Amino acid sequence: KFASRLNSMKDREAVLGLPSSEVGGWVRQQGAIQGLDYVDFNYPQHFRGSLSEQEKDEFGAFLEEAGLKCGAVCLRYPRTMQLGALTNPDPTLRGAAIQLTKEACEWSLALGAGEVVVWSAFDGYDYSLQVDYDVLWDRVVTAFREVCDAYPMVKISLEYKPTDENTRFFAIPSAAAAILLVKEVDRNNFGLTLDFGHCLMAGENPAQAVAMVEKLGGRGKLFGVQLGDGYGRLGAEDGLAFGSVHPWAALEFVLWLQKTNFKGHIYFDTFPRNEPPVRE
């Protein structure tokens, strides 16, 4: 089952200076993509707020009209959490981030997805001597355990990333660290989403990361993959079409998904700048 990045539709409207068609229009555009099954929504970015019956009905109508289903709800923590979402030194903001994650779980259940993907632009640090690494790790573990225990019927998936313009070093920067986190969180509904571009940024072979998660993280702990490509320059996530830069690595990645009998979520995480996003 395939999903794609809803914001690609939004970004194209912005580039062309068109009036925003908002979430319903973006979903309608995605319905024109041949072979697409799912839409992934960002919370709270694509929603007006916590779960309401009125908005749930609206989203259900958007999906039905487009002939699509909700694949997952993905976290997009607000800029107010620049110092950290699940790792914020302020316990009030950290609690607010955990609450947002729980609200995303509610939306995921309401839309029939049952999966939440957690990527944070802010959970990490920028400088040496800035954080206590033990405390940083423990906050991540505690936060995920709380969410997993509150929603055992929802798959909670971490999408790790080594670096970002918002956070130079992430608390969970690699496949190995992510696998260790899976073992320490130790919940049946906690697993990982591997982003092909993030693996490249971490200097990893994406196919080997698939193999490592399956062999070392535990069978079935790879909940999802996100497909894109890039040139691998420092700090750059290009979001180019999958296989356009690293075709052999892309082929091997797919072969290892087959070899490990992957049945999870496949999401095209690309950033078409100059291309019509439906065609891309």
Side-chain angles (χ1 to χ4, degrees), residues 8-86:
S8 294
M9 311 296 142
K10 178 185 74 170
D11 293 347
R12 184 64 175 176
E13 291 176 346
V15 167
L16 295 177
L18 301 173
S20 173
S21 61
E22 299 187 333
V23 177
W26 306 332
V27 173
R28 194 177 305 113
Q29 291 179 61
Q30 284 208 325
I33 299 173
Q34 185 177 355
L36 205 66
D37 305 284
Y38 290 146
V39 172
D40 286 11
F41 296 104
N42 294 345
Y43 186 79
Q45 186 182 60
H46 294 148
F47 300 83
R48 288 194 290 270
S50 56
L51 181 63
S52 70
E53 287 302 315
Q54 178 184 354
E55 197 172 11
K56 174 187 169 183
D57 291 344
E58 289 178 2
F59 275 74
F62 297 157
L63 292 167
E64 185 176 2
E65 179 187 353
L68 299 170
K69 295 181 180 180
C70 179
V73 176
C74 308
L75 268 296
R76 291 296 181 270
Y77 299 103
R79 179 67 63 180
T80 53
M81 297 177 182
Q82 176 69 46
L83 284 179
L86 305 179

Coordinates of all heavy atoms in Angstrom, one line a residue, residues 8-86:
S8 N 3.1 18.2 -0.7 CA 3.6 18.5 -2.1 C 2.5 19.2 -2.9 O 2.8 20.0 -3.8 CB 3.9 17.2 -2.8 OG 5.1 16.6 -2.2
M9 N 1.2 18.9 -2.6 CA 0.1 19.5 -3.3 C 0.0 21.0 -2.9 O -0.1 21.9 -3.7 CB -1.2 18.8 -3.0 CG -1.1 17.3 -3.2 SD -0.8 16.8 -4.9 CE 0.2 15.4 -4.7
K10 N 0.2 21.2 -1.6 CA 0.1 22.5 -1.0 C 1.3 23.4 -1.5 O 1.0 24.6 -1.9 CB 0.2 22.5 0.5 CG 0.2 23.8 1.2 CD 0.4 23.7 2.7 CE 1.8 23.4 3.1 NZ 2.1 23.5 4.5
D11 N 2.5 22.9 -1.6 CA 3.6 23.6 -2.0 C 3.5 24.1 -3.4 O 4.0 25.2 -3.8 CB 4.9 22.8 -1.8 CG 5.2 22.5 -0.3 OD1 4.6 23.2 0.6 OD2 6.1 21.7 0.0
R12 N 3.0 23.2 -4.3 CA 2.8 23.6 -5.7 C 1.9 24.8 -5.8 O 2.2 25.7 -6.7 CB 2.3 22.4 -6.5 CG 2.2 22.6 -7.9 CD 3.6 22.8 -8.6 NE 3.5 22.9 -10.0 CZ 4.5 23.2 -10.8 NH1 5.7 23.4 -10.3 NH2 4.4 23.3 -12.1
E13 N 0.8 24.8 -5.1 CA -0.1 26.0 -5.1 C 0.7 27.2 -4.7 O 0.5 28.3 -5.3 CB -1.3 25.7 -4.2 CG -2.2 24.6 -4.7 CD -3.4 24.3 -3.8 OE1 -3.3 24.8 -2.6 OE2 -4.3 23.7 -4.2
A14 N 1.5 27.1 -3.7 CA 2.3 28.3 -3.3 C 3.2 28.8 -4.3 O 3.4 30.0 -4.6 CB 3.0 28.0 -2.0
V15 N 3.9 27.8 -5.0 CA 4.9 28.2 -6.0 C 4.2 28.9 -7.2 O 4.7 29.9 -7.7 CB 5.6 26.9 -6.5 CG1 6.4 27.2 -7.8 CG2 6.6 26.4 -5.5
L16 N 3.0 28.4 -7.6 CA 2.3 29.0 -8.7 C 1.5 30.3 -8.3 O 0.9 30.9 -9.1 CB 1.4 28.0 -9.3 CG 2.1 26.8 -10.0 CD1 1.1 25.8 -10.5 CD2 3.0 27.2 -11.1
G17 N 1.5 30.6 -7.0 CA 0.7 31.7 -6.5 C -0.8 31.5 -6.6 O -1.6 32.4 -6.7
L18 N -1.2 30.2 -6.5 CA -2.7 29.9 -6.6 C -3.3 30.0 -5.2 O -2.6 29.8 -4.2 CB -2.8 28.5 -7.1 CG -2.3 28.2 -8.5 CD1 -2.4 26.7 -8.8 CD2 -3.0 29.0 -9.6
P19 N -4.6 30.3 -5.2 CA -5.3 30.2 -3.9 C -5.2 28.8 -3.3 O -5.3 27.8 -4.0 CB -6.7 30.6 -4.3 CG -6.7 31.2 -5.6 CD -5.5 30.6 -6.3
S20 N -5.0 28.7 -2.0 CA -4.9 27.4 -1.4 C -6.3 26.7 -1.4 O -7.3 27.2 -1.1 CB -4.5 27.6 0.1 OG -4.6 26.4 0.8
S21 N -6.2 25.4 -1.9 CA -7.4 24.6 -1.9 C -7.6 23.9 -0.6 O -8.6 23.1 -0.4 CB -7.3 23.6 -3.1 OG -6.2 22.7 -2.9
E22 N -6.6 24.1 0.3 CA -6.7 23.5 1.7 C -6.7 22.0 1.7 O -6.6 21.4 0.6 CB -7.8 24.1 2.5 CG -7.6 25.7 2.7 CD -8.6 26.3 3.6 OE1 -9.7 25.8 3.7 OE2 -8.3 27.3 4.2
V23 N -6.9 21.4 2.8 CA -6.7 20.0 3.0 C -7.6 19.2 2.0 O -7.2 18.2 1.3 CB -7.0 19.5 4.4 CG1 -6.8 18.0 4.5 CG2 -6.0 20.2 5.4
G24 N -8.9 19.5 1.9 CA -9.8 18.8 1.0 C -9.3 18.8 -0.4 O -9.4 17.8 -1.1
G25 N -8.8 19.9 -0.9 CA -8.3 20.1 -2.3 C -7.1 19.3 -2.5 O -6.9 18.7 -3.6
W26 N -6.2 19.3 -1.5 CA -4.9 18.5 -1.6 C -5.2 17.0 -1.7 O -4.6 16.3 -2.5 CB -4.0 18.8 -0.4 CG -3.8 20.3 -0.3 CD1 -3.8 21.3 -1.2 CD2 -3.5 21.0 1.0 NE1 -3.6 22.5 -0.7 CE2 -3.3 22.4 0.7 CE3 -3.3 20.6 2.3 CZ2 -3.1 23.3 1.6 CZ3 -3.0 21.5 3.3 CH2 -2.9 22.9 2.9
V27 N -6.2 16.5 -0.9 CA -6.5 15.1 -0.9 C -7.2 14.8 -2.2 O -6.9 13.7 -2.8 CB -7.5 14.8 0.3 CG1 -8.0 13.4 0.1 CG2 -6.8 15.0 1.6
R28 N -8.0 15.7 -2.8 CA -8.6 15.5 -4.1 C -7.5 15.3 -5.2 O -7.6 14.4 -6.0 CB -9.5 16.6 -4.4 CG -10.5 16.3 -5.6 CD -11.4 17.5 -5.8 NE -12.2 17.9 -4.6 CZ -12.0 19.0 -3.9 NH1 -11.1 20.0 -4.4 NH2 -12.7 19.3 -2.8
Q29 N -6.5 16.2 -5.1 CA -5.4 16.1 -6.1 C -4.7 14.7 -6.0 O -4.3 14.1 -7.0 CB -4.4 17.2 -5.9 CG -5.0 18.6 -6.2 CD -3.9 19.7 -6.0 OE1 -2.8 19.6 -6.6 NE2 -4.2 20.6 -5.1
Q30 N -4.5 14.3 -4.7 CA -3.8 13.0 -4.5 C -4.6 11.8 -5.1 O -4.1 10.8 -5.5 CB -3.4 12.8 -3.1 CG -2.2 13.6 -2.6 CD -1.5 13.0 -1.5 OE1 -2.1 12.3 -0.6 NE2 -0.2 13.1 -1.4
G31 N -5.9 12.0 -5.1 CA -6.8 11.0 -5.6 C -6.6 10.7 -7.1 O -7.0 9.6 -7.6
A32 N -5.9 11.6 -7.8 CA -5.6 11.5 -9.2 C -4.3 10.7 -9.4 O -4.0 10.4 -10.6 CB -5.5 12.9 -9.9
I33 N -3.6 10.4 -8.4 CA -2.3 9.7 -8.6 C -2.6 8.2 -8.7 O -3.1 7.5 -7.8 CB -1.4 9.9 -7.3 CG1 -1.1 11.4 -7.2 CG2 -0.1 9.1 -7.5 CD1 -0.3 11.8 -6.0
Q34 N -2.2 7.6 -9.9 CA -2.5 6.2 -10.1 C -1.7 5.3 -9.2 O -0.5 5.5 -9.0 CB -2.1 5.9 -11.6 CG -2.4 4.5 -12.0 CD -2.1 4.2 -13.5 OE1 -1.7 5.1 -14.2 NE2 -2.3 3.0 -13.9
G35 N -2.3 4.4 -8.5 CA -1.6 3.4 -7.7 C -1.5 3.9 -6.2 O -1.1 3.1 -5.4
L36 N -2.0 5.1 -5.9 CA -1.9 5.6 -4.5 C -3.1 5.0 -3.7 O -4.2 5.0 -4.2 CB -2.0 7.1 -4.5 CG -1.3 7.7 -3.3 CD1 0.2 7.5 -3.2 CD2 -1.6 9.2 -3.2
D37 N -2.8 4.6 -2.5 CA -3.9 4.0 -1.7 C -4.2 4.8 -0.5 O -5.4 4.9 0.0 CB -3.4 2.6 -1.1 CG -3.0 1.7 -2.2 OD1 -3.9 1.1 -2.9 OD2 -1.8 1.5 -2.4
Y38 N -3.2 5.5 0.1 CA -3.3 6.1 1.4 C -3.0 7.6 1.3 O -2.2 8.1 0.4 CB -2.3 5.5 2.4 CG -2.6 4.1 2.8 CD1 -1.6 3.3 3.1 CD2 -3.9 3.7 3.0 CE1 -1.8 2.0 3.6 CE2 -4.2 2.4 3.4 CZ -3.1 1.5 3.7 OH -3.4 0.2 4.1
V39 N -3.5 8.3 2.3 CA -3.1 9.7 2.6 C -2.6 9.7 4.0 O -3.2 9.2 4.9 CB -4.3 10.7 2.4 CG1 -3.9 12.1 3.0 CG2 -4.8 10.8 1.0
D40 N -1.4 10.4 4.2 CA -0.9 10.6 5.6 C -1.1 12.1 5.9 O -0.7 12.9 5.2 CB 0.6 10.3 5.6 CG 0.8 8.8 5.6 OD1 -0.1 8.0 5.3 OD2 2.0 8.4 5.9
F41 N -1.8 12.3 7.0 CA -2.0 13.6 7.5 C -1.0 14.0 8.6 O -0.5 13.2 9.3 CB -3.4 13.8 8.1 CG -4.5 13.5 7.1 CD1 -5.3 12.3 7.1 CD2 -4.9 14.5 6.2 CE1 -6.3 12.1 6.2 CE2 -5.9 14.3 5.2 CZ -6.6 13.1 5.2
N42 N -0.7 15.3 8.6 CA 0.2 15.9 9.7 C -0.6 16.5 10.8 O -1.5 17.3 10.5 CB 1.1 16.9 9.1 CG 2.1 16.4 8.1 OD1 2.3 15.2 8.0 ND2 2.7 17.2 7.3
Y43 N -0.3 16.1 12.0 CA -1.0 16.7 13.2 C 0.0 17.5 14.0 O 1.1 17.0 14.2 CB -1.6 15.6 14.1 CG -2.4 16.2 15.2 CD1 -3.7 16.6 14.9 CD2 -1.9 16.3 16.4 CE1 -4.5 17.2 16.0 CE2 -2.6 16.9 17.5 CZ -3.9 17.3 17.2 OH -4.6 17.9 18.2
P44 N -0.3 18.7 14.4 CA -1.6 19.4 14.2 C -1.7 20.2 12.9 O -2.7 21.0 12.7 CB -1.7 20.3 15.4 CG -0.3 20.6 15.7 CD 0.5 19.4 15.4
Q45 N -0.7 20.1 12.0 CA -0.6 21.0 10.9 C -1.9 21.0 10.0 O -2.3 22.0 9.5 CB 0.6 20.6 10.0 CG 0.9 21.5 8.9 CD 2.1 21.0 8.1 OE1 2.1 19.9 7.6 NE2 3.2 21.8 8.1
H46 N -2.4 19.8 9.7 CA -3.6 19.7 8.8 C -4.9 19.8 9.4 O -6.0 19.7 8.7 CB -3.5 18.4 7.9 CG -2.3 18.4 7.0 ND1 -1.6 17.2 6.7 CD2 -1.6 19.4 6.4 CE1 -0.6 17.5 5.9 NE2 -0.6 18.8 5.7
F47 N -4.9 19.9 10.7 CA -6.2 19.8 11.5 C -6.5 21.1 12.2 O -5.5 21.9 12.5 CB -6.1 18.7 12.5 CG -5.9 17.3 11.9 CD1 -4.6 16.9 11.6 CD2 -7.0 16.5 11.7 CE1 -4.4 15.6 11.1 CE2 -6.8 15.2 11.2 CZ -5.5 14.8 10.9
R48 N -7.7 21.4 12.5 CA -8.0 22.6 13.3 C -7.8 22.4 14.8 O -7.6 23.4 15.5 CB -9.5 23.0 13.1 CG -9.8 23.5 11.7 CD -11.2 24.2 11.6 NE -12.2 23.2 11.7 CZ -12.8 22.6 10.6 NH1 -12.3 22.8 9.4 NH2 -13.8 21.7 10.8
G49 N -7.7 21.2 15.2 CA -7.5 21.0 16.7 C -7.7 19.5 17.0 O -7.6 18.7 16.1
S50 N -7.9 19.3 18.3 CA -8.1 17.9 18.8 C -9.4 17.4 18.2 O -10.2 18.1 17.6 CB -8.1 17.9 20.3 OG -9.1 18.7 20.8
L51 N -9.6 16.1 18.3 CA -10.6 15.4 17.6 C -12.0 15.9 17.8 O -12.4 16.1 19.0 CB -10.6 13.9 18.0 CG -11.6 13.0 17.3 CD1 -11.4 12.9 15.9 CD2 -11.6 11.6 18.0
S52 N -12.7 16.2 16.8 CA -14.1 16.6 16.8 C -14.9 15.8 15.8 O -14.4 15.5 14.8 CB -14.3 18.1 16.6 OG -14.1 18.4 15.2
E53 N -16.2 15.5 16.1 CA -17.0 14.7 15.2 C -17.2 15.4 13.9 O -17.2 14.8 12.8 CB -18.3 14.4 15.8 CG -18.2 13.4 17.0 CD -17.6 12.1 16.5 OE1 -18.0 11.6 15.4 OE2 -16.7 11.5 17.2
Q54 N -17.3 16.8 13.9 CA -17.6 17.5 12.7 C -16.4 17.4 11.7 O -16.5 17.1 10.6 CB -17.8 19.0 13.0 CG -18.0 19.9 11.7 CD -18.2 21.3 12.0 OE1 -18.3 21.7 13.2 NE2 -18.3 22.1 11.0
E55 N -15.2 17.6 12.3 CA -14.0 17.6 11.5 C -13.7 16.1 11.0 O -13.2 15.9 9.9 CB -12.8 18.1 12.2 CG -11.6 18.5 11.3 CD -10.5 19.2 12.0 OE1 -10.5 19.3 13.2 OE2 -9.6 19.7 11.2
K56 N -14.0 15.2 11.9 CA -13.8 13.8 11.5 C -14.7 13.4 10.3 O -14.2 12.8 9.3 CB -14.2 12.9 12.7 CG -14.2 11.4 12.4 CD -14.8 10.6 13.5 CE -15.0 9.1 13.1 NZ -15.7 8.3 14.2
D57 N -15.9 13.9 10.3 CA -16.8 13.7 9.1 C -16.3 14.3 7.9 O -16.4 13.8 6.8 CB -18.2 14.2 9.5 CG -18.9 13.4 10.5 OD1 -18.5 12.2 10.8 OD2 -19.9 13.9 11.1
E58 N -15.7 15.5 8.0 CA -15.1 16.3 6.9 C -14.0 15.5 6.3 O -13.9 15.3 5.1 CB -14.7 17.6 7.3 CG -15.8 18.6 7.6 CD -15.2 20.0 8.1 OE1 -14.0 20.1 8.1 OE2 -16.0 20.9 8.4
F59 N -13.1 15.0 7.1 CA -11.9 14.2 6.6 C -12.4 12.9 6.0 O -11.8 12.5 5.0 CB -10.9 14.0 7.8 CG -10.0 15.1 8.0 CD1 -10.4 16.3 8.6 CD2 -8.7 15.0 7.6 CE1 -9.5 17.3 8.8 CE2 -7.8 16.0 7.8 CZ -8.2 17.2 8.4
G60 N -13.4 12.3 6.6 CA -13.9 11.1 6.0 C -14.5 11.3 4.6 O -14.3 10.5 3.7
A61 N -15.2 12.5 4.4 CA -15.7 12.8 3.1 C -14.6 13.1 2.1 O -14.7 12.7 0.9 CB -16.6 14.0 3.3
F62 N -13.6 13.8 2.6 CA -12.4 14.1 1.7 C -11.9 12.8 1.1 O -11.6 12.6 -0.1 CB -11.3 14.8 2.4 CG -11.6 16.1 2.9 CD1 -10.9 16.7 4.0 CD2 -12.6 16.9 2.4 CE1 -11.2 17.9 4.5 CE2 -12.9 18.2 2.9 CZ -12.2 18.7 3.9
L63 N -11.7 11.8 2.0 CA -11.0 10.5 1.6 C -12.0 9.7 0.7 O -11.5 9.1 -0.3 CB -10.7 9.7 2.9 CG -9.6 10.3 3.8 CD1 -9.5 9.6 5.1 CD2 -8.2 10.2 3.1
E64 N -13.2 9.7 1.1 CA -14.2 8.9 0.3 C -14.3 9.5 -1.2 O -14.3 8.7 -2.1 CB -15.6 8.9 0.9 CG -16.6 8.1 0.2 CD -17.9 8.0 0.9 OE1 -18.1 8.7 2.0 OE2 -18.8 7.3 0.4
E65 N -14.3 10.8 -1.3 CA -14.4 11.4 -2.6 C -13.2 11.1 -3.4 O -13.3 10.9 -4.7 CB -14.5 12.9 -2.4 CG -14.6 13.7 -3.8 CD -14.5 15.2 -3.6 OE1 -14.6 15.7 -2.4 OE2 -14.4 15.9 -4.6
A66 N -12.0 11.0 -2.8 CA -10.7 10.8 -3.5 C -10.5 9.3 -3.7 O -9.6 8.9 -4.5 CB -9.6 11.4 -2.8
G67 N -11.3 8.4 -3.1 CA -11.0 7.0 -3.2 C -9.8 6.5 -2.5 O -9.1 5.6 -2.9
L68 N -9.5 7.2 -1.4 CA -8.3 6.9 -0.6 C -8.6 6.6 0.8 O -9.7 6.9 1.3 CB -7.3 8.1 -0.7 CG -6.8 8.5 -2.0 CD1 -6.0 9.8 -1.9 CD2 -5.9 7.4 -2.6
K69 N -7.7 6.1 1.6 CA -7.8 5.8 3.0 C -6.7 6.5 3.8 O -5.7 6.9 3.2 CB -7.8 4.3 3.3 CG -8.9 3.6 2.7 CD -8.8 2.1 3.1 CE -10.0 1.3 2.5 NZ -10.0 -0.1 2.8
C70 N -6.9 6.7 5.1 CA -5.8 7.3 5.9 C -4.8 6.2 6.2 O -5.2 5.2 6.8 CB -6.4 8.0 7.1 SG -5.1 8.7 8.2
G71 N -3.5 6.5 5.9 CA -2.5 5.5 6.2 C -1.9 5.7 7.6 O -1.6 4.8 8.3
A72 N -1.7 7.0 8.0 CA -1.1 7.3 9.3 C -1.3 8.8 9.6 O -1.6 9.6 8.7 CB 0.4 7.0 9.3
V73 N -1.1 9.1 10.8 CA -1.0 10.5 11.2 C 0.4 10.8 11.7 O 0.9 10.1 12.5 CB -2.1 10.8 12.3 CG1 -1.9 12.3 12.8 CG2 -3.5 10.6 11.8
C74 N 1.0 11.8 11.1 CA 2.4 12.2 11.4 C 2.5 13.4 12.2 O 1.8 14.4 11.9 CB 3.2 12.3 10.1 SG 2.9 11.0 8.9
L75 N 3.4 13.4 13.2 CA 3.5 14.5 14.1 C 4.3 15.6 13.5 O 5.3 15.4 12.9 CB 4.2 14.1 15.4 CG 3.3 13.7 16.6 CD1 2.4 14.8 17.0 CD2 2.4 12.5 16.2
R76 N 3.8 16.9 13.7 CA 4.6 18.1 13.3 C 4.5 19.0 14.5 O 3.5 19.8 14.7 CB 4.0 18.7 12.1 CG 4.3 17.9 10.8 CD 5.7 17.8 10.5 NE 6.0 17.1 9.2 CZ 6.1 15.7 9.2 NH1 6.1 15.0 10.3 NH2 6.4 15.1 8.0
Y77 N 5.4 18.9 15.4 CA 5.4 19.7 16.6 C 5.6 21.2 16.3 O 6.3 21.5 15.4 CB 6.5 19.2 17.6 CG 6.3 17.8 18.0 CD1 7.0 16.8 17.5 CD2 5.3 17.5 18.9 CE1 6.8 15.5 17.9 CE2 5.1 16.1 19.3 CZ 5.9 15.1 18.8 OH 5.7 13.8 19.1
P78 N 5.0 22.1 17.0 CA 5.0 23.5 16.7 C 6.4 24.2 17.1 O 7.1 23.7 17.9 CB 3.9 24.2 17.5 CG 3.8 23.2 18.7 CD 4.1 21.9 18.2
R79 N 6.6 25.3 16.5 CA 7.9 26.1 16.7 C 8.1 26.5 18.1 O 9.2 26.7 18.6 CB 7.9 27.3 15.8 CG 9.1 28.2 15.9 CD 10.3 27.5 15.4 NE 10.3 27.2 13.9 CZ 11.2 26.6 13.3 NH1 12.4 26.3 13.9 NH2 11.1 26.3 12.0
T80 N 7.0 26.5 18.9 CA 7.2 26.8 20.3 C 8.0 25.8 21.1 O 8.4 26.0 22.2 CB 5.8 27.0 21.0 OG1 5.0 25.8 20.7 CG2 5.0 28.2 20.5
M81 N 8.2 24.6 20.4 CA 9.0 23.5 21.0 C 10.4 23.5 20.4 O 11.0 22.4 20.3 CB 8.2 22.2 20.9 CG 6.9 22.2 21.6 SD 5.9 20.7 21.4 CE 4.5 21.1 22.4
Q82 N 10.9 24.6 20.0 CA 12.2 24.6 19.4 C 13.3 24.0 20.3 O 14.2 23.4 19.8 CB 12.6 26.1 19.1 CG 14.0 26.3 18.5 CD 14.2 25.7 17.1 OE1 13.3 25.9 16.2 NE2 15.2 25.0 16.8
L83 N 13.2 24.1 21.6 CA 14.2 23.6 22.5 C 14.0 22.1 22.7 O 14.7 21.4 23.5 CB 14.2 24.3 23.8 CG 14.8 25.7 23.8 CD1 14.7 26.3 25.2 CD2 16.3 25.6 23.4
G84 N 13.0 21.5 22.1 CA 12.7 20.1 22.2 C 11.2 19.9 22.3 O 10.5 20.7 22.9
A85 N 10.7 18.7 21.8 CA 9.3 18.3 22.0 C 9.3 17.3 23.1 O 9.1 17.6 24.2 CB 8.8 17.8 20.6
L86 N 9.6 16.0 22.7 CA 9.6 15.0 23.8 C 10.8 15.1 24.7 O 10.8 14.5 25.7 CB 9.6 13.6 23.1 CG 8.4 13.3 22.1 CD1 8.6 11.9 21.5 CD2 7.1 13.5 22.8

